[in-house]
Amino acid sequence: MQIEKTIVLTLQKLLHKREDTSKQEREQFIIKTKELSLELAGITLSELHVIDCIGTYGTKNITSLSKEMDMTRGAISKICSKLLKRKVIDKIHLADNQKEVHFRLTEFGEKIFSLHETLHQAAEEKVIRFLKKYTPAELQFIDRLLKDVINEL
């Protein structure tokens, strides 16, 4: 039973470390936005994820953003309202459906998306370099373990 307790403590350390790293990444993002004269003080992680979703998949409505991000339509609506005020996204209507509101990134939003993508890629490359020290069999186990952890949380 001792190894299980050790694993629990290690997992707790990992989660705390990840939280600290997320804060550092967010601070780095804010610093980079200021260097590029992009004013984003107070932007939330959820707002960044909406920007990323629209930037990655193109024009989206509240329902499709809600499904893609696994959030309520109400939460997405609030986030989009904030992003509209910041002039990060625009409301548009598609030619075949003037009733439904869709969102797209503004030029300002595109700059934020691009910066976020650059930082995200650098973080992903760091993880990939880290994982190169493991064998394919070990990587398959790590993948299974992480999926099991996600399913349990």
Side-chain angles (χ1 to χ4, degrees), residues 12-25:
Q12 288 172 341
K13 286 180 185 177
L14 172 66
L15 295 174
H16 288 135
K17 181 78 171 175
R18 180 65 196 137
E19 188 176 318
D20 290 342
T21 303
S22 292
K23 287 177 188 175
Q24 290 170 357
E25 288 170 353

Side-chain angles (χ1 to χ4, degrees), residues 18 46 81-82 85 103 106 120 123 139 146 151:
R18 180 65 196 137
S46 294
S81 292
K82 291 177 185 178
K85 286 179 187 172
F103 301 99
T106 62
H120 198 14
L139 290 172
L146 292 174
N151 288 334

Side-chain angles (χ1 to χ4, degrees), residues 97-112:
N97 186 348
Q98 290 295 310
K99 187 177 178 184
E100 191 173 40
V101 174
H102 288 255
F103 301 99
R104 69 174 176 205
L105 296 179
T106 62
E107 186 177 328
F108 179 55
E110 288 287 348
K111 289 178 183 176
I112 296 165

Side-chain angles (χ1 to χ4, degrees), residues 95-151:
D96 62 337
N97 186 348
Q98 290 295 310
K99 187 177 178 184
E100 191 173 40
V101 174
H102 288 255
F103 301 99
R104 69 174 176 205
L105 296 179
T106 62
E107 186 177 328
F108 179 55
E110 288 287 348
K111 289 178 183 176
I112 296 165
F113 172 69
S114 179
L115 175 60
H116 181 257
E117 277 294 293
T118 300
L119 295 173
H120 198 14
Q121 266 184 328
E124 187 175 309
E125 288 169 7
K126 185 178 175 183
V127 172
I128 289 171
R129 279 193 308 273
F130 169 78
L131 291 173
K132 290 218 181 270
K133 64 184 174 181
Y134 297 98
T135 68
E138 289 171 325
L139 290 172
Q140 287 180 340
F141 173 75
I142 291 168
D143 183 55
R144 191 179 109 227
L145 175 69
L146 292 174
K147 286 175 181 170
D148 287 349
V149 168
I150 289 167
N151 288 334

Side-chain angles (χ1 to χ4, degrees), residues 74-92:
I76 294 295
S77 181
K78 286 180 184 180
I79 291 168
C80 287
S81 292
K82 291 177 185 178
L83 293 175
L84 283 164
K85 286 179 187 172
R86 289 177 182 260
K87 302 196 184 314
V88 174
I89 61 174
D90 279 331
K91 280 184 184 180
I92 62 167

